[in-house]
Amino acid sequence: MQPVQTGWKRGDDREELVNREWLVTNGLGGYAAGTIGGACTRRFHGKLIAAMPAPLGRTMMLNHLAEWLTDSSGRELKLSGDEHGKREVTYPDLDFFEEFVLECGMPVWRYANDQLELEKRVVMPYGQNTTYVIYRLLRGGDDVTLNLRPAVNFRPHEGLLTDDTQCTVRANGREIEIDESPEFPTLRIALLGSNARLEEHPVKVEHVIYRLERSRGYEWEGPLWSPGVIRIALKVGEDAGIVASVEPWDVVHSMDVAQVLDADRTRRNKMLEKAGVDDDFAAQLVLAADQFLIRPTTRSADEARIAAAGDTPRTVIAGYHWFTDWGRDTMISLEGLTLCTGRYREAGAILRTFSNYVRDG
């Protein structure tokens, strides 16, 4: 079964591009999330929020990715939008952006006009703090360049929108490393595609606005820092894009794009088979449930004690984007997330994990 859910299509209200959100998770508590149109409306939106061991916990590592195409004439087609300063929110090129869908839970953006057709996918390999942002030109000429400007503001998941980001960049061919301070891990970015290169031109993006935080009365404005623009010459049928990770380089390079996508589809299909669902709506619920079941990595001592007893620590994220795990929420949701979806082994592991925290009845 390959359930498909349409989230937006050409002709729909453009405001839905900043109102509707997508989420991809990695089974560790880390995630990637954003709006369909690309603007970060929450300070929790980003392409890589890594789940790190204590004392860091979940950490914002890659905030935003500005995306556009150019051809030999210099014409630009925006693939994503943003919102900062006094300027109104910007949107993708609405004459090019065709639709957004979830294919078996994986977010897919489709762009098309008379000359070009492009697909974009976001996937996180299960069990890794790694995000693949993958583009494929399906139709078009040989003069199309993909331009990506990554922007960062390394901070704890709940941290303030600091104004003092000063990063060091090391570029070695298709490998880029960005460091801010010893407090945070190194952000590694691998480039995918023909002639992919980073043109270093550091800039500070001022006054990025997170409109949902403003409506909630929280800190809602802050800067980002970008090392430059990644430029990739697109070829029909060839994958291009970036791999953003805090894993070592050997892990980053352990799988190619085809292997990552195949592994993700295989895992999702196994979940649907185990759950025994036979319609798209039930399949979407099974896939959504999986996002909340994680192997925790942030409480190293506790998890080591559980593992030493021969068990696998498992828990439940109480809610994205800001919650972690809570005993009450876990027990309330346990039946629906695990028993109703055929994941009995994980249900047992969750109960045994929480039994280590029982105090005074």
Side-chain angles (χ1 to χ4, degrees):
M1 175 182 289
Q2 292 290 327
V4 176
Q5 181 181 15
T6 300
W8 188 89
K9 62 183 183 299
R10 188 178 295 160
D12 288 351
D13 184 355
R14 72 173 188 173
E15 285 302 305
E16 294 303 302
L17 294 174
V18 292
N19 293 334
R20 296 182 182 177
E21 303 174 53
W22 57 271
L23 172 72
V24 176
T25 59
N26 66 355
L28 301 174
Y31 65 89
T35 62
I36 292 175
C40 295
T41 58
R42 303 182 190 270
R43 60 195 176 106
F44 303 100
H45 282 162
K47 296 299 187 290
L48 177 60
I49 293 85
M52 306 299 299
L56 276 179
R58 284 195 282 187
T59 305
M60 176 65 74
M61 294 302 303
L62 178 57
N63 301 65
H64 188 254
L65 196 63
E67 311 154 289
W68 69 98
L69 299 182
T70 54
D71 60 20
S72 57
S73 69
R75 181 184 60 159
E76 291 189 359
L77 291 170
K78 288 175 63 68
L79 307 182
S80 65
D82 55 31
E83 185 174 16
H84 53 81
K86 296 182 179 179
R87 190 183 68 195
E88 292 184 359
V89 63
T90 63
Y91 300 89
D93 191 314
L94 298 180
D95 293 326
F96 189 42
F97 187 23
E98 186 172 52
E99 66 173 350
F100 172 87
V101 301
L102 293 178
E103 287 187 353
C104 203
M106 179 187 296
V108 180
W109 291 256
R110 296 194 176 107
Y111 305 85
N113 60 20
D114 292 341
Q115 293 80 38
L116 302 173
E117 186 175 353
L118 180 80
E119 277 192 351
K120 166 190 163 186
R121 299 170 187 268
V122 175
V123 60
M124 299 185 82
Y126 191 77
Q128 286 188 37
N129 285 306
T130 301
T131 302
Y132 282 68
V133 185
I134 307 161
Y135 307 79
R136 174 170 283 203
L137 186 65
L138 304 179
R139 174 173 54 86
D142 296 328
D143 60 347
V144 181
T145 299
L146 173 66
N147 308 275
L148 305 173
R149 180 179 281 282
V152 302
N153 177 209
F154 295 171
R155 54 181 166 82
H157 191 240
E158 298 275 3
L160 297 176
L161 305 175
T162 58
D163 193 25
D164 57 354
T165 299
Q166 295 291 331
C167 293
T168 301
V169 179
R170 295 181 298 278
N172 180 20
R174 297 190 184 189
E175 295 181 349
I176 302 167
E177 293 186 344
I178 302 176
D179 283 302
E180 198 245 7
S181 74
E183 178 185 355
F184 298 104
T186 298
L187 173 63
R188 296 180 175 88
I189 299 178
L191 307 186
L192 307 170
S194 298
N195 303 313
R197 68 193 189 282
L198 170 67
E199 291 185 0
E200 291 194 47
H201 180 60
V203 298
K204 187 175 183 180
V205 184
E206 300 280 6
H207 307 296
V208 178
I209 293 171
Y210 305 94
R211 57 168 60 190
L212 286 181
E213 306 303 323
R214 179 168 55 187
S215 69
R216 297 170 64 228
Y218 289 95
E219 187 186 22
W220 55 270
E221 184 179 12
L224 297 176
W225 181 89
S226 173
V229 177
I230 297 166
R231 305 200 191 276
I232 308 172
L234 295 182
K235 294 183 178 179
V236 172
E238 181 180 278
D239 292 316
I242 64 167
V243 185
S245 182
V246 296
E247 307 290 350
W249 279 119
D250 60 337
V251 174
V252 175
H253 293 308
S254 62
M255 293 188 291
D256 61 25
V257 170
Q259 291 171 324
V260 168
L261 293 175
D262 183 64
D264 189 74
R265 292 189 189 101
T266 299
R267 181 177 174 279
R268 292 173 187 267
N269 284 327
K270 285 181 178 178
M271 285 191 293
L272 297 176
E273 182 179 351
K274 184 181 292 186
V277 297
D278 57 3
D279 68 83
D280 278 3
F281 181 71
Q284 296 292 349
L285 293 179
V286 171
L287 296 171
D290 176 64
Q291 297 177 319
F292 296 87
L293 300 174
I294 71 164
R295 176 170 56 84
T297 60
T298 57
R299 297 186 296 268
S300 302
D302 292 346
E303 286 129 30
R305 186 166 57 251
I306 295 168
D311 212 344
T312 301
R314 301 286 286 178
T315 189
V316 173
I317 290 288
Y320 292 95
H321 304 82
W322 42 87
F323 291 126
T324 53
D325 52 348
W326 300 82
R328 179 188 62 180
D329 301 68
T330 297
M331 298 306 137
I332 291 171
S333 63
L334 182 73
E335 180 181 359
L337 294 180
T338 59
L339 303 183
C340 293
T341 58
R343 300 174 73 160
Y344 309 117
R345 181 178 298 179
E346 284 147 304
I350 290 168
L351 291 173
R352 289 189 294 274
T353 295
F354 276 85
S355 71
N356 286 274
Y357 301 100
V358 173
R359 296 290 184 274
D360 304 320

